[in-house]
Structure formats: structure tokens, C-alpha cells
Amino acid sequence: MHICVSSFFLQISNQHNAGARGWQRAVCKMAELDANLDHIIPSSVLPPFWAKLVVGFVSLVCFARSYDGDFVFDDSEAIINNKDLRAETPLGDLWHHDFWGSRLSSNTSHKSYRPLTILTFRINYYLCGGFHPVSFHVINILLHGGISVLMVDVFSVLFGGLQYTRKGRRLNLAPRSSLLAALLFATHPVHTECVAGVVGRADLLGALFFLLSFLGYCKAFRETGNKEGTHSTFWVLLSILLGAVAMLCKEQGITVLGLNAVFDILVIGKLNVLEMVQKALHKDKSFENIAVLRNGGFLFRMALLASGGAGVLYVRWKIMGTGPPAFTEVDNPASFADSVLVRAINYNYYYALNAWLLLCPWWLCFDWSMGCIPLIKSAGDWRVTAPAALWLCLIGLICQALCSEDSHRRRILTLGLGFLIIPFLPASNLFFRVGFVVAERVLYLPSAGYCMLLTFGFGALSKHTKKKKLIAAVVLGILFINMLRCMIRSGEWRNEEQLFRSALSVCPLNAKVHYNVGKNLADKGNQTAAIRYYREAVRLNPKYVHAMNNLGNILKERNELQEAEELLSLAVQIQPDFAAAWMNLGIVQNSLKRFEAAERSYRTAIKHRRKYPDCYYNLGRLYADLNRHVDALNAWRNATVLKPEHSLAWNNMIILLDNTGNLAQAEAVGREALELIPNDHSLMFSLANVLGKSQKYKESEALFLKAIKAHPNAASYHGNLAVLYHRWGHLDLAKKHYEISLQLDPTASGTKENYGLLRRKLEQMQKKDV
């Protein structure tokens, strides 16, 4: 089982006997580590192709349930409401907008610059002819499968190092370790947000190009036979380029350059960090003779990586407007704490929570903000034990990585920690404030480091115990449980109701969770239940203006106007530039007959959001109630200029002009509206009424019939068509449509009266005929 296999490899490099003996010892160590996993991955290990096929298949099985899910949570803003996906938006705009479609120069932009991810969304939209979520989800699942397959190669390098045959083919010296680590990665439940949520494609694409950049950097040493000081500059530059591409998909992609540098130092340069520290502390003159520091090729590569990374970051900084994104306290409360100590303790607690999600990914939540994780404000809080435990584990691993006499162990632990920590640094709050407390999506790449350390741990444990079957059962149990958890969690991401409700047990103190459950219920018409969740959201976060606004809206519709006005007034006091709340406050004040206050509220809303068609529409309704007809028409015209498909504004203009006797103008407006919205049956109905009054009976009839075809159960459509036939003299047709209208709405008094007049007229005509 533990037979050294290096004699085979020694035939490849027998030119340097001393080097071969050193390599022989290293390969023995690698073979020994891999052999320790033999009871988990048998000695008849799968060939590389079949190993990758198994990993790819398993990764697809884990997340296949999400393939036909809806667009959920952030997908609405990033995809459905993002104009950058539409064909009418110039492609060049993608390079000036953030992930959500806002201009990077805007003060409200989150500065998330991911144009290549948006480009893939746009291609999805174009190829599928619209927003069909299946195609978006399938691409995400396939991307995760491809990344998991690539992980087999990445782990084989991290575990086994870089060794090549004479033909330049890289040898996989750790087939069992790389396969097990890749399976652990493919089945990790913390990846569900990235795979099942469409916006997670940014993390998937960033990870894909991150790995390609790393493997490209490894190829820089393929053709040179790994001779000291030699490399392929082309592959180093290509690796930097792929790192830049990764950053254009997701910000943390640029960290691959740091990982490449660590890999170069430890694997290519074979630097012993502990030895360097000892020499530095003892001022040993031989410190200057360490080979890697005298290696011109190494220094040149480090210069390329440093300058490439600095250049890419500078360009991105210039593009995003050189200003940091604006986040609020509810997004990341610890970063707003006045005390440096409080900030430090809470940041470390967040790191511990992230580590726990990797270790035990059972409690998963789509959002961890808004009180989900209360701040630690004193040393007496029992939660301070979590960061203490985390640092105890990290220090132990770091000591092993630096002080172990086994060079192979040192290298694997250091690379594992590097893969765990380096990609996580942009989310750590160490360099800049981030807009979240904990986010499962940022753990996609760091989880590879965790899987590597876990695999190494299983190998080390197997070496020192006789209960190998028990360890094998534990590993297989972890893989099975993780696969099961992935399937369950993928099902929860299929629609918003399941996703939001799944968070109630994980984060009951999260106001946003209650808000989203309430919003989902309100969208489905369950206002009573929605009110309960909105009230809980406001109780948990008394400054949650969006919950106040939505709750005020429902209360307004239920005619509970006094409480609605109080809530909306409080919302605009807390956030004076909240345009939607100002508009809704104006609607409530209008209903309370407080017309001057309503007009002020509408004007304030428009002041804070100049392009606000709905607010202009409601302002027009206010002016119409006050008989300020010219002002009403101007307001509605502004609404249609800002939003040409605003059917209600067009309809109100036609009706107002009709009611005031301006039939010619009403007809012109109606025809203009139908050119822009040709299939709107309500516009057809309004214009048909105008044409009927203008005695253009034939054209009016055609529009009425077209409107009825589109909406056959509208009693008013049949009733008004009957009136047209009544005027026109087609009395039998008038009688028919009066009767249909009364069947649909027996309480319509005007239709009853007109029908009575028609019947009397028909009776009189029958008497004359007799």
C-alpha cells in the first residue's frame, strides 16, 4: 500500500542524480499521503478522465433541482429590471454601468463593476428571446460543474506539485487527494446561493477565470522543465490577463495574482519560510544566499504580478469614479461602530461565522443583515468565544505550516490556508467597508481551501489510526449529507416564498426576512398576513422605511388612512429623499381631502426623483379632482413622455378631454396612445367612446369589438357598444349587447335604464307595425 513509486519517475529525470534523490524523497512523501486515503479512494483509482466525469456528474446532481426555478431575490433588480440586458441598450453602456444597471458615477451606485457577467446575462436574454429563467439557471449549473471538474486539476497541483514527463505532460502525483477534495468542493451546500441564484453567476464566472489564471501560471513552468530561473513569460502574462477577466466578472477575482505569487514562492522557489524567519532573527549572513531571492526569474515574475495587479486595480478605480460605494448602517452595522475594539471583535466574529458555514453548512440564509447578527458590545458576550476558537485553530494550522519538519506538509497547509484566506480578503472589511455582514456567495472560492485542508486532515488521521473503515464511513457520510443538503437547499431557491420562509428559522431577528415574506404575501393578495410580517419588520428595525412604505400602502388600500399617513410621514422624516414614500403620502392625503398637503408631497417626490411617471400621474388625478383641467393634462402628458407605455395616464387624458367636450383633441390623443400601445383594450374602449360621440360609428364599432375580443367579460364594453348601436339604429344588436352586459353586471343602473328605453322603443315600433 505504501510502496514508493518514485523509481518510475526517476527514469524521466536521471540527468541530475542529486536532484533526483531529493525529488525521490518528495515523491515518496506525496505517495504516502495519497496512500493514506486508499481506504476511501481505492488503489484502483479512476483515470483522470473518469475522475473528472464523476466529479462533474455529482456536481450537477447536487443542484439540478434549481434548473426550473424562478428569478428570486436580487435576480429581479440585476436581470428583470436591468436595462443593460435589453437589445435597445448600446453594448458600450455595459462598461459605464454597475452590476445593477446604474451609472458608476451615480452617488447611489454600489460600484460593483462586473460588465462581463452582465454580458453573459444579455447573451442569455438574446438567445432565449426574453426572460426565461430556465436558460439562466441551466448555465449556472453547468458553470459549477465545469468549475468542479477544473478543481481536480487545481487540487492535483496543490497536493502533488508540478512534475512533467519528457513530453511535457503534467503528472498527477496525488490522484486520490485531488479527487476527494474536488468531490467535497462539488457537493458543498454553501455554494447553493451562487448556483441556484442567477446573480451568483458573477461568483461562478469569477471563480472560473480565477482557476484558469492559476492553471495558466502553472503552465509557465511546463516547457522549461522547471529549471531554476526559467519560465514562459507568455503564460505569466496570460495568467495576469485572465486574472483581470476574473475581476471583470467579480471583484475578488483579482486575488488570484496573490495566490499565484504564494504558489511561486512555495512550490517553484521551494522557500522555507521558517528558515527565513530564523535567519532574519539571528542576522545570519547566509540569509542573502537563499536561492529564491537570488533567482532573477523569480524576481521578474513577482514584478510582473505586482505591476499587473496594480495596473488593473488602478484602471478599475478610475472607471468606478475613484469614490467608494455608499453603504448604510443596516448593511454592515459593525463597520459604523465608533469603537475600534467593537469593530475588531465583530469582524472576527463574522470570520468565525463564515468558518462555521464551511464546517457545518446547515443553517443557510439568503440574507444575514438587519439585526440577524446582533453586535457584540462587551467582552462578557459569550459569542467572543467563537473568534477565540477560530484563531486558536488558525494559529495551530499556521504553526504546522511554518514549523513542521515535513516540507510536503508545510507546503500543503500553506497553500490550503492561502486558498482559504486570499480570495476572502476583499470581503473581510480590512481594506474597505463591504455592504453585507455575512454572505455565503463570497465563500465559493475560499471553500476550495477548506476542502483541501479537510482532505489533508483525513489523510493525516488515517495514518495515525487503525479504524480506517470508520474514517471512510465519515467521509462518505459527509459527501452524502452534503449532497442531500444541496438538493434540499436548491429546492428552497426555486421560488421566493420557500426561500424567504426558510430564513425565518435561521434569522428570526432579521427585519429584511420578515419584510420579504410580507412582500411575497402582499404580491399574492394576502394582505392580512402581509401586514403581520411588515409590522414585525418595523418592530425589529424601527427605521426600516421600505417596510413602513409598503405597510402604509396596504393600509391605504384598506382605507385605514390615519395610520397609513402616520407611517408614511415617519418614513419621509427618517429618509427625506424617499420619493416613493412621498408619493404614497400624497395619495393618502388626497384621499383625506388634504389637497394642498398632497400637492406638496407629490412635488417633493418629483424633486427627489425627476423622472417619476407614476407621481406625475397621481398629481394629474389630484388636479382633476380640483377641476384644474389644464394642470391635470400637463401632468399626465409628463407621465407619458417619461413612460410612453403608461396606459392609465393616456386613458385619463382621453376621458378628461371627452368629458369636457374636446372630442377632436381626445381623438388625437387616443390615436397617439394606440400607436404606442396597440394592444391595450382599455385605450381601444376609451377611443371607441370618443369616435361614437363624433358619429364615426363604423370605426367606433371596430374598436369596441376588438376591445371585447381582448377582454370579453367587461360589462361596460358590451354596455357602451350597445349604446353605440342604439344611437346608430342597429336596435337588435343593441338589445343583444345590453343583455350580455346585464348578465355580466346585473347592478349597472345606467345599462338597465338604457335597456328599458330600448325595449319601450321596440314595443312602440311593433305596435306601429301591427
Side-chain angles (χ1 to χ4, degrees):
M1 183 90 48
H2 295 271
I3 295 172
C4 179
V5 296
S6 59
S7 57
F8 165 76
F9 298 115
L10 282 173
Q11 297 173 11
I12 300 169
S13 55
N14 53 14
Q15 298 115 343
H16 307 288
N17 294 329
R21 284 192 296 273
W23 185 25
Q24 182 179 10
R25 287 192 297 272
V27 172
C28 282
K29 289 290 185 183
M30 294 173 195
E32 183 182 350
L33 169 71
D34 217 47
N36 289 333
L37 298 172
D38 183 61
H39 55 284
I40 302 170
I41 308 291
S43 56
S44 55
V45 68
L46 291 171
F49 172 79
W50 288 101
K52 292 177 181 178
L53 195 64
V54 168
V55 170
F57 176 76
V58 169
S59 69
L60 297 181
V61 168
C62 285
F63 301 101
R65 267 191 89 188
S66 65
Y67 89 96
D68 60 346
D70 300 331
F71 290 120
V72 296
F73 194 39
D74 287 338
D75 295 348
S76 297
E77 286 302 313
I79 297 169
I80 298 173
N81 298 331
N82 193 340
K83 292 182 179 179
D84 285 344
L85 270 66
R86 312 295 176 90
E88 58 268 23
T89 303
L91 275 172
D93 285 6
L94 270 63
W95 302 95
H96 303 287
H97 292 175
D98 66 15
F99 188 59
W100 312 99
S102 302
R103 292 198 69 83
L104 283 165
S105 56
S106 169
N107 293 330
T108 59
S109 172
H110 280 194
K111 309 295 185 181
S112 47
Y113 187 58
R114 305 163 193 171
L116 295 184
T117 302
I118 295 297
L119 183 61
T120 67
F121 289 153
R122 184 163 173 150
I123 293 170
N124 251 135
Y125 176 83
Y126 172 76
L127 293 178
C128 299
F131 294 113
H132 303 294
V134 170
S135 66
F136 288 83
H137 284 294
V138 167
I139 294 297
N140 273 28
I141 295 169
L142 292 176
L143 277 171
H144 175 65
I147 291 164
S148 299
V149 169
L150 271 181
M151 279 295 179
V152 177
D153 285 331
V154 171
F155 285 131
S156 72
V157 173
L158 296 175
F159 280 111
L162 283 178
Q163 298 296 341
Y164 296 93
T165 65
R166 288 180 178 178
K167 294 180 179 180
R169 184 176 180 179
R170 185 175 59 80
L171 297 167
N172 185 353
L173 300 179
R176 297 182 184 84
S177 306
S178 57
L179 177 56
L180 178 56
L183 284 171
L184 288 168
F185 177 86
T187 60
H188 205 297
V190 84
H191 299 158
T192 313
E193 181 178 355
C194 293
V195 183
V198 178
V199 295
R201 187 176 300 179
D203 299 88
L204 295 172
L205 287 171
L208 175 65
F209 288 103
F210 183 103
L211 300 181
L212 290 174
S213 174
F214 175 76
L215 291 173
Y217 196 80
C218 294
K219 282 185 178 292
F221 308 97
R222 180 183 61 182
E223 298 170 357
T224 63
N226 206 10
K227 294 175 184 176
E228 184 178 351
T230 60
H231 63 263
S232 169
T233 304
F234 168 79
W235 281 106
V236 174
L237 292 174
L238 183 61
S239 174
I240 294 171
L241 177 62
L242 289 169
V245 172
M247 189 190 68
L248 293 176
C249 297
K250 181 69 185 282
E251 291 77 6
Q252 68 184 136
I254 193 64
T255 59
V256 69
L257 302 185
L259 185 68
N260 289 345
V262 171
F263 177 80
D264 198 336
I265 294 169
L266 297 177
V267 177
I268 307 303
K270 299 180 176 60
L271 180 69
N272 187 330
V273 178
L274 179 62
E275 181 186 350
M276 276 192 65
V277 172
Q278 289 174 341
K279 287 179 180 292
L281 291 174
H282 293 90
K283 298 180 181 180
D284 193 334
K285 293 182 180 180
S286 63
F287 178 76
E288 299 173 0
N289 297 324
I290 292 176
V292 69
L293 298 177
R294 296 184 290 104
N295 188 328
F298 167 78
L299 296 176
F300 178 68
R301 292 192 298 274
M302 292 301 103
L304 282 180
L305 290 173
S307 58
V312 168
L313 289 173
Y314 175 76
V315 171
R316 188 187 186 281
W317 185 255
K318 292 293 288 184
I319 290 173
M320 65 184 276
T322 68
F327 296 117
T328 61
E329 187 173 354
V330 294
D331 297 320
N332 186 355
S335 66
F336 287 86
D338 294 329
S339 169
V340 175
L341 182 61
V342 170
R343 288 203 299 272
I345 291 173
N346 281 279
Y347 287 162
N348 279 277
Y349 181 61
Y350 297 162
Y351 305 155
L353 285 176
N354 280 285
W356 180 249
L357 288 177
L358 290 175
L359 186 64
C360 184
W362 202 256
W363 292 275
L364 300 175
C365 184
F366 70 94
D367 186 271
W368 294 82
S369 63
M370 284 202 179
C372 184
I373 305 171
L375 282 179
I376 297 174
K377 296 181 179 179
S378 70
D381 194 316
W382 68 269
R383 291 176 296 166
V384 297
T385 57
L390 172 67
W391 279 107
L392 191 64
C393 293
L394 283 177
I395 290 170
L397 286 171
I398 291 168
C399 288
Q400 282 290 308
L402 294 178
C403 304
S404 174
E405 295 181 0
D406 184 348
S407 61
H408 188 56
R409 172 180 293 202
R410 287 201 309 268
R411 184 172 62 78
I412 288 181
L413 288 176
T414 308
L415 288 174
L417 287 169
F419 223 119
L420 178 71
I421 295 170
I422 293 173
F424 183 75
L425 288 175
S428 66
N429 286 291
L430 291 177
F431 305 107
F432 45 80
R433 177 184 293 156
V434 297
F436 52 83
V437 177
V438 172
E440 293 158 24
R441 59 187 176 273
V442 303
L443 294 176
Y444 191 81
L445 273 170
S447 66
Y450 163 77
C451 294
M452 184 178 174
L453 293 173
L454 189 61
T455 301
F456 182 79
F458 282 130
L461 192 61
S462 297
K463 183 180 178 181
H464 295 97
T465 184
K466 294 180 180 180
K467 298 180 179 179
K468 298 185 184 297
K469 289 184 179 180
L470 177 61
I471 295 174
V474 169
V475 173
L476 293 175
I478 289 173
L479 289 173
F480 176 76
I481 292 170
N482 279 358
M483 287 183 69
L484 183 63
R485 179 60 177 140
C486 286
M487 293 180 203
I488 294 171
R489 187 61 178 159
S490 293
E492 292 172 348
W493 272 86
R494 284 165 56 85
N495 60 68
E496 289 192 332
E497 181 180 5
Q498 293 183 76
L499 178 65
F500 297 154
R501 287 191 177 278
S502 71
L504 288 172
S505 59
V506 180
C507 282
L509 300 178
N510 188 337
K512 188 183 283 188
V513 169
H514 293 273
Y515 167 82
N516 279 295
V517 173
K519 186 175 183 297
N520 185 259
L521 289 166
D523 291 342
K524 293 182 176 180
N526 191 348
Q527 292 187 338
T528 303
I531 287 173
R532 186 169 69 252
Y533 282 101
Y534 280 142
R535 288 194 191 283
E536 181 64 10
V538 174
R539 185 189 72 79
L540 290 169
N541 182 4
K543 294 183 179 181
Y544 200 171
V545 292
H546 293 284
M548 293 176 189
N549 178 55
N550 287 17
L551 178 56
N553 260 338
I554 293 180
L555 295 174
K556 173 194 70 182
E557 292 172 11
R558 293 163 72 97
N559 210 34
E560 299 177 32
L561 299 177
Q562 292 296 340
E563 187 181 359
E565 184 181 24
E566 290 173 8
L567 276 167
L568 293 166
S569 297
L570 180 59
V572 296
Q573 285 176 24
I574 295 170
Q575 186 176 327
D577 63 347
F578 192 1
W582 277 112
M583 182 189 74
N584 290 324
L585 178 60
I587 295 171
V588 171
Q589 291 166 335
N590 192 11
S591 300
L592 291 168
K593 309 298 181 186
R594 296 174 52 201
F595 299 120
E596 290 185 7
E599 183 179 4
R600 284 196 301 272
S601 295
Y602 288 141
R603 290 292 179 190
T604 306
I606 292 168
K607 171 188 169 186
H608 292 299
R609 190 193 297 179
R610 296 189 180 278
K611 296 180 180 180
Y612 203 173
D614 289 341
C615 194
Y616 277 111
Y617 164 73
N618 284 298
L619 181 61
R621 288 184 58 187
L622 169 66
Y623 289 145
D625 291 342
L626 296 172
N627 292 320
R628 293 166 59 179
H629 295 156
V630 175
D631 290 334
L633 289 170
N634 286 335
W636 288 329
R637 174 58 73 176
N638 281 332
T640 59
V641 167
L642 293 171
K643 187 179 178 182
E645 67 276 14
H646 204 302
S647 175
L648 290 172
W650 286 113
N651 248 321
N652 281 19
M653 278 195 282
I654 297 166
I655 293 166
L656 180 58
L657 291 168
D658 181 3
N659 291 341
T660 54
N662 297 306
L663 295 181
Q665 195 174 351
E667 181 182 340
V669 171
R671 292 186 187 280
E672 183 185 355
L674 274 177
E675 283 184 13
L676 293 166
I677 322 171
N679 297 318
D680 191 301
H681 56 81
S682 62
L683 290 175
M684 297 174 196
F685 173 71
S686 298
L687 181 55
N689 284 327
V690 173
L691 293 171
K693 290 180 183 179
S694 301
Q695 298 184 351
K696 297 179 180 180
Y697 298 130
K698 196 70 180 171
E699 195 176 357
S700 175
E701 177 195 28
L703 279 172
F704 272 128
L705 291 173
K706 196 173 178 183
I708 287 170
K709 184 178 179 181
H711 194 34
N713 295 324
S716 59
Y717 289 12
H718 289 279
N720 284 33
L721 177 58
V723 171
L724 175 72
Y725 284 138
H726 200 156
R727 288 177 184 166
W728 197 0
H730 297 330
L731 302 185
D732 291 335
L733 288 171
K735 181 175 181 293
K736 171 188 171 184
H737 284 280
Y738 277 137
E739 289 172 351
I740 295 172
S741 179
L742 287 171
Q743 284 177 1
L744 293 168
D745 183 11
T747 62
S749 57
T751 305
K752 282 183 180 178
E753 185 179 344
N754 288 334
Y755 184 49
L757 290 173
L758 176 64
R759 289 185 63 182
R760 286 194 292 273
K761 186 173 183 179
L762 288 172
E763 288 171 1
Q764 290 173 2
M765 290 174 66
Q766 286 176 354
K767 287 178 182 179
K768 286 182 181 180
D769 290 341
V770 173

